[in-house]
Amino acid sequence: MADLRIDLAGIKSPNPFWLASAPPTNSGYQVQRAFEAGWGGAVWKTLGEPILNVSSRFAAVSFNGQRVAGFNNIELITDRPLEINLNEILETKKRFPNHAIIASLMVEPQQEKWHEIVKKVEAVGVDGLELNFGCPHGMAERGMGSASGQVPELVEKQTYWVKEVARTPVIVKLTPNITDITMTAEAAVRGGADAVSMINTINSLAGVDLDTWNTVPHVGGKGAHGGYCGPAVKPIALNMVAECARNPLVNVPISGIGGISNWQDAAEFMLMGATGVQVCTAAMHHGFSIVEDMIDGLNNYLDDKGIASVMDLVGQSVQRYSNWGDLDLNYNIVAQINNDVCINCNKCHIACEDTSHQCIDLYTESGRPMLKVREQDCVGCNLCAIVCPVDGAISMIEKKSTIPPMTWNERQSLISNFTR
Amino acid sequence: MSDHLLSLDEMKQVDGYLASGFKIHSVHENLSGMFVEFKRQEEDVCLQILTAEARKYLAAKLLEQTQ
Protein backbone atom coordinates (compact mmCIF):
# COMPACT_ATOMS: atom_id res chain seq x y z
CA MET A 1 0.00 0.00 0.00
CA ALA A 2 1.58 3.23 -1.15
CA ASP A 3 1.56 6.36 0.94
CA LEU A 4 -1.06 8.63 -0.62
CA ARG A 5 -0.62 11.50 1.82
CA ILE A 6 0.33 14.85 0.36
CA ASP A 7 1.75 18.06 1.74
CA LEU A 8 0.86 21.02 -0.45
CA ALA A 9 2.64 24.12 0.84
CA GLY A 10 2.11 22.89 4.39
CA ILE A 11 -1.48 21.75 3.88
CA LYS A 12 -1.59 18.06 4.67
CA SER A 13 -4.27 15.66 3.52
CA PRO A 14 -4.65 11.88 3.59
CA ASN A 15 -4.74 11.66 -0.20
CA PRO A 16 -4.33 14.01 -3.17
CA PHE A 17 -8.03 14.10 -4.04
CA TRP A 18 -9.74 17.31 -3.00
CA LEU A 19 -13.16 18.55 -3.99
CA ALA A 20 -12.87 21.87 -5.78
CA SER A 21 -14.68 24.97 -4.63
CA ALA A 22 -18.06 24.54 -6.31
CA PRO A 23 -21.58 23.26 -5.63
CA PRO A 24 -20.31 19.96 -4.09
CA THR A 25 -18.67 21.93 -1.26
CA ASN A 26 -21.54 24.29 -0.57
CA SER A 27 -22.30 23.05 2.96
CA GLY A 28 -21.01 21.13 5.94
CA TYR A 29 -23.47 18.35 5.18
CA GLN A 30 -21.92 17.82 1.75
CA VAL A 31 -18.28 18.17 2.78
CA GLN A 32 -18.72 15.76 5.69
CA ARG A 33 -20.35 13.20 3.40
CA ALA A 34 -17.48 13.69 0.96
CA PHE A 35 -14.91 13.06 3.69
CA GLU A 36 -16.82 9.95 4.76
CA ALA A 37 -16.64 8.76 1.13
CA GLY A 38 -12.86 9.18 1.12
CA TRP A 39 -12.01 12.61 -0.25
CA GLY A 40 -8.82 13.91 1.30
CA GLY A 41 -9.72 17.58 1.25
CA ALA A 42 -12.31 20.10 0.21
CA VAL A 43 -12.07 23.66 -0.94
CA TRP A 44 -15.19 25.22 0.50
CA LYS A 45 -17.50 26.94 -1.96
CA THR A 46 -16.27 30.49 -2.26
CA LEU A 47 -17.07 32.70 0.70
CA GLY A 48 -17.84 36.38 0.30
CA GLU A 49 -20.81 38.66 0.51
CA PRO A 50 -23.78 36.31 -0.09
CA ILE A 51 -24.96 36.56 -3.67
CA LEU A 52 -28.21 35.91 -5.49
CA ASN A 53 -28.32 33.19 -8.11
CA VAL A 54 -30.56 32.71 -11.14
CA SER A 55 -32.40 29.67 -12.39
CA SER A 56 -31.46 27.72 -14.45
CA ARG A 57 -27.71 27.45 -13.88
CA PHE A 58 -26.11 24.37 -15.42
CA ALA A 59 -25.78 22.92 -18.89
CA ALA A 60 -23.73 20.08 -20.27
CA VAL A 61 -22.26 19.21 -23.61
CA SER A 62 -22.65 15.58 -24.56
CA PHE A 63 -20.66 14.19 -27.45
CA ASN A 64 -21.38 11.03 -29.40
CA GLY A 65 -23.17 9.42 -26.53
CA GLN A 66 -20.80 10.51 -23.78
CA ARG A 67 -22.82 12.44 -21.23
CA VAL A 68 -21.17 15.51 -19.72
CA ALA A 69 -18.10 15.67 -21.91
CA GLY A 70 -18.16 19.31 -20.90
CA PHE A 71 -20.05 21.18 -18.24
CA ASN A 72 -21.15 24.80 -18.13
CA ASN A 73 -22.41 26.73 -15.13
CA ILE A 74 -23.55 30.23 -14.32
CA GLU A 75 -23.82 29.68 -10.58
CA LEU A 76 -21.98 32.22 -8.45
CA ILE A 77 -20.25 32.00 -5.06
CA THR A 78 -22.03 31.12 -1.83
CA ASP A 79 -25.47 32.58 -1.27
CA ARG A 80 -25.30 31.87 2.46
CA PRO A 81 -24.11 34.27 5.18
CA LEU A 82 -20.49 33.93 6.25
CA GLU A 83 -21.32 33.00 9.84
CA ILE A 84 -23.37 29.99 8.76
CA ASN A 85 -20.56 28.74 6.56
CA LEU A 86 -18.00 29.30 9.32
CA ASN A 87 -20.05 27.35 11.86
CA GLU A 88 -20.25 24.44 9.43
CA ILE A 89 -16.52 24.61 8.70
CA LEU A 90 -15.82 24.54 12.44
CA GLU A 91 -18.10 21.56 12.92
CA THR A 92 -16.63 19.73 9.92
CA LYS A 93 -13.07 20.36 11.04
CA LYS A 94 -13.89 18.96 14.49
CA ARG A 95 -15.28 15.78 12.94
CA PHE A 96 -12.45 15.43 10.42
CA PRO A 97 -9.33 16.96 11.95
CA ASN A 98 -6.97 15.16 9.57
CA HIS A 99 -8.73 16.20 6.38
CA ALA A 100 -7.87 19.41 4.60
CA ILE A 101 -10.41 22.20 4.58
CA ILE A 102 -9.44 25.15 2.47
CA ALA A 103 -11.61 28.24 2.38
CA SER A 104 -12.09 29.77 -1.03
CA LEU A 105 -12.44 33.53 -0.70
CA MET A 106 -13.59 36.36 -2.91
CA VAL A 107 -14.12 39.97 -1.94
CA GLU A 108 -13.77 43.30 -3.66
CA PRO A 109 -10.18 44.32 -4.32
CA GLN A 110 -9.79 46.36 -1.14
CA GLN A 111 -7.19 45.71 1.53
CA GLU A 112 -9.55 45.98 4.51
CA LYS A 113 -12.08 43.61 2.94
CA TRP A 114 -9.41 40.95 2.43
CA HIS A 115 -8.10 41.45 5.96
CA GLU A 116 -11.56 41.12 7.45
CA ILE A 117 -12.52 37.88 5.73
CA VAL A 118 -9.11 36.23 6.19
CA LYS A 119 -9.18 36.84 9.94
CA LYS A 120 -12.75 35.57 10.31
CA VAL A 121 -12.15 32.44 8.27
CA GLU A 122 -8.85 31.51 9.87
CA ALA A 123 -10.44 31.85 13.31
CA VAL A 124 -12.48 28.68 12.72
CA GLY A 125 -9.45 26.57 11.92
CA VAL A 126 -9.21 26.19 8.18
CA ASP A 127 -6.03 24.58 6.88
CA GLY A 128 -5.50 27.08 4.12
CA LEU A 129 -7.01 29.75 1.94
CA GLU A 130 -7.68 29.79 -1.78
CA LEU A 131 -8.15 33.19 -3.37
CA ASN A 132 -10.71 32.96 -6.13
CA PHE A 133 -9.33 35.10 -8.94
CA GLY A 134 -10.95 32.94 -11.56
CA CYS A 135 -14.75 32.90 -11.49
CA PRO A 136 -15.59 34.10 -15.01
CA HIS A 137 -19.22 35.09 -14.69
CA GLY A 138 -21.31 37.38 -12.57
CA MET A 139 -18.66 38.19 -9.99
CA ALA A 140 -16.36 39.43 -12.73
CA GLU A 141 -18.95 42.05 -13.64
CA ARG A 142 -18.48 43.40 -10.11
CA GLY A 143 -14.69 43.62 -10.42
CA MET A 144 -14.01 40.33 -8.66
CA GLY A 145 -13.11 36.80 -9.82
CA SER A 146 -11.53 36.70 -13.25
CA ALA A 147 -11.80 40.48 -13.60
CA SER A 148 -9.17 40.64 -10.88
CA GLY A 149 -7.41 37.53 -12.04
CA GLN A 150 -6.74 38.82 -15.53
CA VAL A 151 -4.67 41.74 -14.26
CA PRO A 152 -1.29 40.66 -12.88
CA GLU A 153 -0.94 43.79 -10.75
CA LEU A 154 -4.28 43.10 -9.05
CA VAL A 155 -3.35 39.47 -8.46
CA GLU A 156 -0.07 40.50 -6.87
CA LYS A 157 -1.56 43.27 -4.77
CA GLN A 158 -4.48 41.25 -3.42
CA THR A 159 -2.27 38.27 -2.67
CA TYR A 160 0.03 40.62 -0.79
CA TRP A 161 -2.88 42.01 1.24
CA VAL A 162 -3.96 38.51 2.18
CA LYS A 163 -0.43 37.52 3.14
CA GLU A 164 -0.23 40.56 5.41
CA VAL A 165 -2.60 38.87 7.82
CA ALA A 166 -2.85 35.20 6.83
CA ARG A 167 -1.42 32.58 9.18
CA THR A 168 -2.32 29.60 6.98
CA PRO A 169 -0.97 28.78 3.50
CA VAL A 170 -2.41 30.91 0.71
CA ILE A 171 -3.29 29.32 -2.63
CA VAL A 172 -4.08 31.64 -5.52
CA LYS A 173 -6.60 30.17 -7.97
CA LEU A 174 -5.96 31.37 -11.50
CA THR A 175 -8.25 32.01 -14.42
CA PRO A 176 -7.57 30.35 -17.78
CA ASN A 177 -9.30 33.25 -19.51
CA ILE A 178 -5.99 34.90 -20.25
CA THR A 179 -3.41 34.51 -22.99
CA ASP A 180 -0.52 33.38 -20.79
CA ILE A 181 -1.36 32.00 -17.37
CA THR A 182 2.27 32.12 -16.26
CA MET A 183 2.01 35.92 -16.14
CA THR A 184 -0.61 35.83 -13.41
CA ALA A 185 1.04 32.85 -11.72
CA GLU A 186 4.26 34.85 -11.48
CA ALA A 187 2.28 37.79 -10.10
CA ALA A 188 0.77 35.58 -7.43
CA VAL A 189 4.24 34.38 -6.43
CA ARG A 190 5.50 37.97 -6.30
CA GLY A 191 2.58 38.74 -4.00
CA GLY A 192 3.71 35.99 -1.65
CA ALA A 193 1.44 33.09 -2.63
CA ASP A 194 2.37 29.79 -1.02
CA ALA A 195 0.81 27.86 -3.91
CA VAL A 196 -1.24 28.36 -7.05
CA SER A 197 -4.20 26.36 -8.30
CA MET A 198 -5.50 26.13 -11.82
CA ILE A 199 -7.63 26.21 -13.81
CA ASN A 200 -10.88 27.90 -12.98
CA THR A 201 -13.56 27.60 -15.64
CA ILE A 202 -13.33 28.82 -19.21
CA ASN A 203 -15.78 31.38 -20.62
CA SER A 204 -18.43 29.42 -22.45
CA LEU A 205 -21.85 29.17 -24.01
CA ALA A 206 -23.01 25.56 -23.96
CA GLY A 207 -25.30 25.86 -26.98
CA VAL A 208 -28.31 27.32 -28.69
CA ASP A 209 -31.65 25.52 -28.74
CA LEU A 210 -32.52 25.06 -32.40
CA ASP A 211 -36.27 24.97 -31.70
CA THR A 212 -36.62 27.98 -29.42
CA TRP A 213 -33.40 29.80 -30.37
CA ASN A 214 -32.75 30.31 -26.67
CA THR A 215 -29.29 29.97 -25.21
CA VAL A 216 -28.46 26.84 -23.21
CA PRO A 217 -28.98 27.39 -20.34
CA HIS A 218 -31.35 30.35 -20.45
CA VAL A 219 -32.99 32.38 -17.75
CA GLY A 220 -36.44 33.27 -18.92
CA GLY A 221 -35.29 33.60 -22.50
CA LYS A 222 -31.97 35.31 -21.84
CA GLY A 223 -28.52 33.86 -21.43
CA ALA A 224 -25.07 34.92 -20.32
CA HIS A 225 -21.68 33.32 -20.62
CA GLY A 226 -20.81 30.71 -18.07
CA GLY A 227 -17.75 28.76 -17.02
CA TYR A 228 -16.77 25.56 -18.83
CA CYS A 229 -15.21 22.57 -17.13
CA GLY A 230 -15.31 18.79 -17.23
CA PRO A 231 -13.35 16.25 -19.30
CA ALA A 232 -13.27 18.50 -22.36
CA VAL A 233 -11.05 21.06 -20.65
CA LYS A 234 -8.46 18.63 -19.27
CA PRO A 235 -5.86 19.14 -22.02
CA ILE A 236 -6.10 22.91 -21.62
CA ALA A 237 -5.70 22.66 -17.86
CA LEU A 238 -2.86 20.15 -18.09
CA ASN A 239 -0.91 22.45 -20.39
CA MET A 240 -1.40 25.40 -18.05
CA VAL A 241 -0.22 23.36 -15.07
CA ALA A 242 2.79 22.21 -17.07
CA GLU A 243 3.66 25.71 -18.25
CA CYS A 244 3.64 26.94 -14.68
CA ALA A 245 5.51 23.90 -13.37
CA ARG A 246 8.40 24.46 -15.77
CA ASN A 247 8.55 28.20 -15.17
CA PRO A 248 11.35 28.91 -12.66
CA LEU A 249 9.54 32.04 -11.48
CA VAL A 250 6.51 29.97 -10.44
CA ASN A 251 8.46 28.16 -7.76
CA VAL A 252 5.52 27.19 -5.54
CA PRO A 253 3.40 24.03 -5.38
CA ILE A 254 0.49 23.67 -7.78
CA SER A 255 -2.97 22.32 -7.10
CA GLY A 256 -4.22 20.91 -10.42
CA ILE A 257 -7.82 21.44 -11.52
CA GLY A 258 -9.64 20.89 -14.80
CA GLY A 259 -11.50 17.86 -16.07
CA ILE A 260 -9.92 15.39 -13.67
CA SER A 261 -12.29 12.42 -13.69
CA ASN A 262 -10.28 9.39 -12.58
CA TRP A 263 -7.00 8.33 -11.03
CA GLN A 264 -5.24 8.36 -14.38
CA ASP A 265 -6.06 12.03 -14.90
CA ALA A 266 -4.83 12.76 -11.38
CA ALA A 267 -1.55 10.93 -11.98
CA GLU A 268 -1.02 12.86 -15.21
CA PHE A 269 -1.50 16.19 -13.44
CA MET A 270 0.88 15.14 -10.68
CA LEU A 271 3.51 13.95 -13.14
CA MET A 272 3.19 17.34 -14.82
CA GLY A 273 3.86 19.19 -11.58
CA ALA A 274 0.67 19.25 -9.49
CA THR A 275 1.14 18.28 -5.84
CA GLY A 276 -2.55 17.40 -5.59
CA VAL A 277 -5.72 17.68 -7.61
CA GLN A 278 -9.17 19.18 -7.23
CA VAL A 279 -12.26 17.59 -8.74
CA CYS A 280 -15.74 18.94 -9.36
CA THR A 281 -17.53 17.88 -12.54
CA ALA A 282 -16.83 14.16 -12.14
CA ALA A 283 -18.27 14.28 -8.62
CA MET A 284 -21.30 16.21 -9.88
CA HIS A 285 -21.78 13.61 -12.62
CA HIS A 286 -21.20 10.43 -10.62
CA GLY A 287 -21.34 11.34 -6.92
CA PHE A 288 -18.81 11.40 -4.12
CA SER A 289 -18.18 7.65 -4.27
CA ILE A 290 -15.99 7.98 -7.37
CA VAL A 291 -13.14 8.78 -5.03
CA GLU A 292 -13.01 5.12 -3.99
CA ASP A 293 -11.90 4.08 -7.49
CA MET A 294 -9.53 7.03 -7.63
CA ILE A 295 -7.81 5.97 -4.41
CA ASP A 296 -7.66 2.29 -5.36
CA GLY A 297 -6.46 3.01 -8.87
CA LEU A 298 -3.74 5.42 -7.81
CA ASN A 299 -2.59 3.09 -5.06
CA ASN A 300 -2.38 0.13 -7.43
CA TYR A 301 -0.52 2.23 -10.01
CA LEU A 302 2.07 3.30 -7.44
CA ASP A 303 2.46 -0.26 -6.17
CA ASP A 304 2.90 -1.57 -9.72
CA LYS A 305 5.55 1.06 -10.35
CA GLY A 306 7.25 0.35 -7.05
CA ILE A 307 6.74 3.92 -5.88
CA ALA A 308 6.38 4.28 -2.10
CA SER A 309 4.81 7.73 -1.93
CA VAL A 310 2.52 9.62 -4.26
CA MET A 311 4.65 12.70 -3.62
CA ASP A 312 7.38 10.95 -5.63
CA LEU A 313 5.22 11.35 -8.74
CA VAL A 314 5.11 15.11 -8.52
CA GLY A 315 6.82 16.81 -11.44
CA GLN A 316 8.47 13.72 -12.91
CA SER A 317 7.35 14.61 -16.44
CA VAL A 318 8.00 18.33 -16.29
CA GLN A 319 11.50 18.09 -17.74
CA ARG A 320 10.02 16.28 -20.74
CA TYR A 321 7.83 19.28 -21.56
CA SER A 322 9.65 21.80 -23.66
CA ASN A 323 9.28 24.33 -26.45
CA TRP A 324 8.53 23.28 -30.02
CA GLY A 325 11.84 24.75 -31.11
CA ASP A 326 13.69 22.30 -28.86
CA LEU A 327 12.13 19.17 -30.41
CA ASP A 328 14.21 16.94 -32.66
CA LEU A 329 13.27 17.53 -36.31
CA ASN A 330 14.89 14.25 -37.29
CA TYR A 331 13.03 11.93 -34.94
CA ASN A 332 10.82 9.68 -37.07
CA ILE A 333 7.89 7.41 -36.41
CA VAL A 334 5.72 5.72 -39.02
CA ALA A 335 2.44 3.86 -38.95
CA GLN A 336 2.28 0.10 -39.34
CA ILE A 337 -1.00 -1.71 -39.94
CA ASN A 338 -1.60 -5.19 -38.59
CA ASN A 339 -3.88 -6.70 -41.23
CA ASP A 340 -4.58 -9.69 -38.97
CA VAL A 341 -6.40 -7.35 -36.58
CA CYS A 342 -7.66 -4.74 -39.04
CA ILE A 343 -11.40 -4.91 -39.74
CA ASN A 344 -11.05 -3.03 -43.05
CA CYS A 345 -13.28 -0.17 -42.03
CA ASN A 346 -10.86 2.01 -44.03
CA LYS A 347 -11.17 4.93 -41.63
CA CYS A 348 -7.37 5.21 -41.60
CA HIS A 349 -7.20 5.32 -45.39
CA ILE A 350 -9.97 7.91 -45.60
CA ALA A 351 -8.45 10.08 -42.90
CA CYS A 352 -4.99 9.91 -44.42
CA GLU A 353 -6.18 10.37 -47.98
CA ASP A 354 -8.56 13.26 -47.26
CA THR A 355 -6.89 15.14 -44.46
CA SER A 356 -3.30 14.08 -43.99
CA HIS A 357 -0.46 12.85 -46.20
CA GLN A 358 -1.96 10.22 -48.54
CA CYS A 359 0.30 7.33 -47.58
CA ILE A 360 -2.10 4.45 -46.84
CA ASP A 361 -2.76 2.28 -49.88
CA LEU A 362 -5.69 -0.07 -50.42
CA TYR A 363 -4.91 -3.31 -52.20
CA THR A 364 -6.17 -6.86 -52.50
CA GLU A 365 -4.25 -9.98 -51.60
CA SER A 366 -5.72 -13.39 -52.34
CA GLY A 367 -9.06 -11.70 -52.75
CA ARG A 368 -8.85 -10.10 -49.34
CA PRO A 369 -8.87 -6.30 -48.94
CA MET A 370 -5.71 -5.04 -47.29
CA LEU A 371 -4.15 -1.75 -46.21
CA LYS A 372 -0.50 -0.82 -46.28
CA VAL A 373 1.41 2.26 -45.23
CA ARG A 374 3.98 3.66 -47.66
CA GLU A 375 6.50 4.36 -44.93
CA GLN A 376 8.60 6.69 -47.05
CA ASP A 377 5.65 9.07 -47.30
CA CYS A 378 4.37 8.67 -43.73
CA VAL A 379 5.14 11.71 -41.57
CA GLY A 380 4.20 9.99 -38.31
CA CYS A 381 1.25 12.28 -37.63
CA ASN A 382 -0.68 9.57 -35.68
CA LEU A 383 -4.01 10.41 -37.35
CA CYS A 384 -4.62 6.88 -38.65
CA ALA A 385 -3.97 5.39 -35.20
CA ILE A 386 -6.20 8.04 -33.62
CA VAL A 387 -9.20 7.30 -35.86
CA CYS A 388 -8.73 3.50 -35.87
CA PRO A 389 -11.50 1.84 -33.84
CA VAL A 390 -9.54 -1.37 -33.18
CA ASP A 391 -6.85 -1.58 -30.50
CA GLY A 392 -3.64 -2.98 -31.90
CA ALA A 393 -4.54 -2.60 -35.56
CA ILE A 394 -2.23 0.37 -36.09
CA SER A 395 1.06 0.89 -34.27
CA MET A 396 3.37 3.85 -34.52
CA ILE A 397 6.91 2.53 -34.90
CA GLU A 398 10.12 4.47 -34.39
CA LYS A 399 12.36 4.51 -37.47
CA LYS A 400 15.99 5.28 -36.88
CA SER A 401 16.96 8.43 -38.71
CA THR A 402 19.91 8.42 -41.06
CA ILE A 403 20.82 11.94 -40.00
CA PRO A 404 21.70 13.13 -36.48
CA PRO A 405 19.23 14.80 -34.10
CA MET A 406 18.73 18.52 -34.71
CA THR A 407 16.17 20.87 -33.24
CA TRP A 408 14.67 23.83 -35.06
CA ASN A 409 16.58 26.18 -32.77
CA GLU A 410 19.85 24.37 -33.46
CA ARG A 411 19.11 24.39 -37.19
CA GLN A 412 18.36 28.10 -37.26
CA SER A 413 21.49 28.85 -35.28
CA LEU A 414 23.54 26.78 -37.70
CA ILE A 415 22.01 28.30 -40.81
CA SER A 416 22.43 31.83 -39.47
CA ASN A 417 26.17 31.40 -39.95
CA PHE A 418 25.60 30.79 -43.67
CA THR A 419 23.22 33.60 -44.57
CA ARG A 420 25.89 35.66 -46.26
CA MET B 1 0.82 13.47 -53.49
CA SER B 2 4.17 11.93 -52.68
CA ASP B 3 7.15 14.20 -52.14
CA HIS B 4 9.37 11.24 -51.50
CA LEU B 5 10.85 10.87 -54.95
CA LEU B 6 11.43 14.60 -55.24
CA SER B 7 13.14 14.69 -51.84
CA LEU B 8 15.36 11.76 -52.86
CA ASP B 9 16.30 13.60 -56.02
CA GLU B 10 17.10 16.79 -54.12
CA MET B 11 19.22 14.93 -51.56
CA LYS B 12 21.02 13.19 -54.40
CA GLN B 13 21.85 16.56 -55.94
CA VAL B 14 23.20 17.79 -52.60
CA ASP B 15 25.33 14.66 -52.27
CA GLY B 16 26.48 15.07 -55.84
CA TYR B 17 27.77 18.59 -55.35
CA LEU B 18 29.49 17.70 -52.08
CA ALA B 19 31.06 14.60 -53.59
CA SER B 20 32.52 16.63 -56.43
CA GLY B 21 34.30 19.05 -54.12
CA PHE B 22 31.73 21.77 -53.70
CA LYS B 23 31.14 23.22 -50.24
CA ILE B 24 28.01 24.87 -48.93
CA HIS B 25 28.72 28.58 -49.02
CA SER B 26 25.41 30.18 -48.16
CA VAL B 27 21.84 29.29 -47.35
CA HIS B 28 18.78 31.47 -47.81
CA GLU B 29 15.21 30.51 -47.02
CA ASN B 30 12.12 32.30 -48.25
CA LEU B 31 8.58 31.61 -49.41
CA SER B 32 9.87 29.49 -52.27
CA GLY B 33 11.92 27.15 -50.13
CA MET B 34 15.67 26.95 -49.52
CA PHE B 35 18.34 28.30 -51.86
CA VAL B 36 21.76 26.79 -51.31
CA GLU B 37 24.85 28.25 -52.87
CA PHE B 38 27.66 25.74 -53.39
CA LYS B 39 31.21 26.91 -54.13
CA ARG B 40 34.25 25.14 -55.50
CA GLN B 41 37.16 27.57 -55.93
CA GLU B 42 35.82 30.22 -58.37
CA GLU B 43 32.90 28.11 -59.45
CA ASP B 44 29.50 28.39 -57.79
CA VAL B 45 26.07 26.89 -58.30
CA CYS B 46 22.70 27.52 -56.66
CA LEU B 47 20.31 24.73 -55.78
CA GLN B 48 16.69 25.35 -54.87
CA ILE B 49 15.39 22.79 -52.39
CA LEU B 50 11.64 22.40 -52.21
CA THR B 51 10.97 19.44 -49.95
CA ALA B 52 11.01 19.41 -46.17
CA GLU B 53 13.02 16.18 -45.97
CA ALA B 54 15.75 17.55 -48.19
CA ARG B 55 15.87 20.80 -46.22
CA LYS B 56 16.42 18.74 -43.05
CA TYR B 57 19.08 16.76 -44.90
CA LEU B 58 20.86 19.89 -46.03
CA ALA B 59 21.04 21.10 -42.42
CA ALA B 60 22.65 17.80 -41.44
CA LYS B 61 25.21 18.22 -44.21
CA LEU B 62 25.82 21.76 -43.06
CA LEU B 63 26.53 20.45 -39.57
CA GLU B 64 28.95 17.88 -41.01
CA GLN B 65 30.75 20.63 -42.91
CA THR B 66 31.24 22.71 -39.77
CA GLN B 67 32.60 19.83 -37.71
Side-chain angles (χ1 to χ4, degrees):
Chain A
M1 179 80 183
D3 183 357
L4 295 186
R5 292 175 298 172
I6 64 162
D7 181 335
L8 189 146
I11 303 173
K12 296 178 174 61
S13 73
N15 63 55
F17 302 111
W18 296 359
L19 284 172
S21 172
T25 60
N26 186 50
S27 67
Y29 169 76
Q30 291 167 285
V31 173
Q32 289 174 35
R33 287 189 65 243
F35 286 166
E36 285 167 358
W39 292 89
V43 185
W44 210 271
K45 187 171 171 70
T46 304
L47 308 174
E49 288 185 23
I51 54 76
L52 298 172
N53 271 312
V54 293
S55 175
S56 63
R57 305 177 193 176
F58 302 152
V61 173
S62 298
F63 186 77
N64 270 1
Q66 184 187 335
R67 304 286 290 177
V68 198
F71 192 83
N72 175 87
N73 88 87
I74 56 172
E75 185 169 304
L76 305 183
I77 66 172
T78 186
D79 60 1
R80 305 188 310 150
L82 182 65
E83 289 69 24
I84 291 176
N85 277 301
L86 294 183
N87 283 336
E88 293 180 12
I89 291 174
L90 184 65
E91 176 196 343
T92 306
K93 193 64 198 168
K94 275 184 186 167
R95 276 198 65 200
F96 296 91
N98 297 322
H99 287 64
I101 299 182
I102 294 90
S104 172
L105 307 177
M106 184 194 293
V107 292
E108 291 169 36
Q110 296 172 22
Q111 184 183 31
E112 62 276 15
K113 295 214 171 193
W114 280 110
H115 284 188
E116 178 190 10
I117 197 166
V118 167
K119 288 173 182 171
K120 285 183 173 175
V121 166
E122 287 195 330
V124 298
V126 296
D127 298 290
L129 309 172
E130 184 180 78
L131 314 187
N132 182 344
F133 295 151
C135 186
H137 47 271
M139 309 311 292
E141 294 166 21
R142 307 169 204 181
M144 293 178 272
S146 63
S148 283
Q150 289 164 336
V151 183
E153 293 78 8
L154 277 176
V155 171
E156 180 179 349
K157 178 62 84 179
Q158 292 181 96
T159 306
Y160 181 80
W161 288 335
V162 169
K163 286 295 292 180
E164 285 179 324
V165 293
R167 289 176 285 110
T168 61
V170 174
I171 306 169
V172 173
K173 186 170 182 177
L174 300 171
T175 174
N177 298 306
I178 187 167
T179 305
D180 180 358
I181 200 166
T182 64
M183 301 299 287
T184 44
E186 288 178 18
V189 173
R190 285 197 301 273
D194 299 293
V196 289
S197 58
M198 66 199 74
I199 60 173
N200 207 307
T201 53
I202 302 170
N203 286 358
S204 61
L205 171 58
V208 177
D209 187 309
L210 292 179
D211 291 324
T212 64
W213 299 357
N214 275 328
T215 62
V216 181
H218 73 90
V219 179
K222 276 194 172 180
H225 82 264
Y228 199 51
C229 52
V233 312
K234 183 197 134 191
I236 298 167
L238 190 58
N239 170 61
M240 290 185 171
V241 166
E243 291 294 352
C244 287
R246 73 190 186 97
N247 183 326
L249 298 178
V250 187
N251 52 356
V252 295
I254 297 169
S255 179
I257 314 167
I260 296 160
S261 306
N262 50 43
W263 71 265
Q264 293 97 329
D265 294 338
E268 289 180 43
F269 272 77
M270 296 186 79
L271 286 167
M272 242 345 143
T275 299
V277 297
Q278 299 183 33
V279 177
C280 174
T281 305
M284 293 180 78
H285 189 184
H286 302 294
F288 290 149
S289 64
I290 59 164
V291 77
E292 295 170 17
D293 285 344
M294 289 177 157
I295 291 170
D296 285 347
L298 185 60
N299 180 57
N300 292 338
Y301 174 71
L302 294 172
D303 285 349
D304 289 347
K305 288 270 184 193
I307 297 171
S309 166
V310 71
M311 289 295 284
D312 292 337
L313 277 187
V314 177
Q316 293 293 340
S317 293
V318 173
Q319 64 181 1
R320 298 166 189 250
Y321 204 51
S322 184
N323 297 315
W324 190 92
D326 295 324
L327 306 180
D328 180 11
L329 294 169
N330 298 330
Y331 174 77
N332 286 323
I333 57 170
V334 296
Q336 283 186 354
I337 297 172
N338 182 347
N339 280 291
D340 292 336
V341 178
C342 172
I343 60 172
N344 292 104
C345 68
N346 294 342
K347 286 191 76 72
C348 60
H349 170 77
I350 294 164
C352 187
E353 199 70 11
D354 288 357
T355 65
S356 195
H357 289 78
Q358 301 81 47
C359 67
I360 299 180
D361 292 332
L362 295 167
Y363 68 105
T364 304
E365 190 175 283
S366 304
R368 183 183 164 204
M370 307 280 268
L371 293 152
K372 185 171 177 58
V373 176
R374 289 196 319 281
E375 292 187 0
Q376 66 271 26
D377 289 318
C378 176
V379 301
C381 71
N382 291 335
L383 181 62
C384 55
I386 290 168
V387 302
C388 178
V390 181
D391 286 342
I394 299 181
S395 305
M396 302 304 298
I397 307 295
E398 185 174 339
K399 298 288 282 189
K400 190 164 176 56
S401 177
T402 55
I403 51 179
M406 186 181 294
T407 69
W408 169 258
N409 290 336
E410 290 167 344
R411 177 187 187 274
Q412 295 310 99
S413 172
L414 180 66
I415 286 179
S416 68
N417 297 320
F418 287 83
T419 52
R420 303 174 208 277
Chain B
M1 297 293 289
S2 172
D3 277 347
H4 180 62
L5 292 179
L6 178 57
S7 68
L8 285 180
D9 181 59
E10 290 179 336
M11 288 188 271
K12 192 174 169 186
Q13 288 187 66
V14 169
D15 285 341
Y17 285 123
L18 296 175
S20 54
F22 282 91
K23 287 199 178 304
I24 301 166
H25 178 71
S26 70
V27 175
H28 295 280
E29 292 186 291
N30 59 28
L31 292 173
S32 301
M34 175 186 264
F35 294 85
V36 186
E37 184 185 10
F38 292 90
K39 273 202 169 182
R40 182 175 63 184
Q41 295 170 339
E42 297 306 308
E43 189 180 1
D44 60 59
V45 291
C46 186
L47 175 67
Q48 181 183 6
I49 299 179
L50 302 174
T51 66
E53 288 308 305
R55 284 187 284 121
K56 290 180 186 176
Y57 184 74
L58 189 283
K61 291 296 164 188
L62 201 53
L63 181 63
E64 275 180 25
Q65 183 176 301
T66 60
Q67 288 173 337

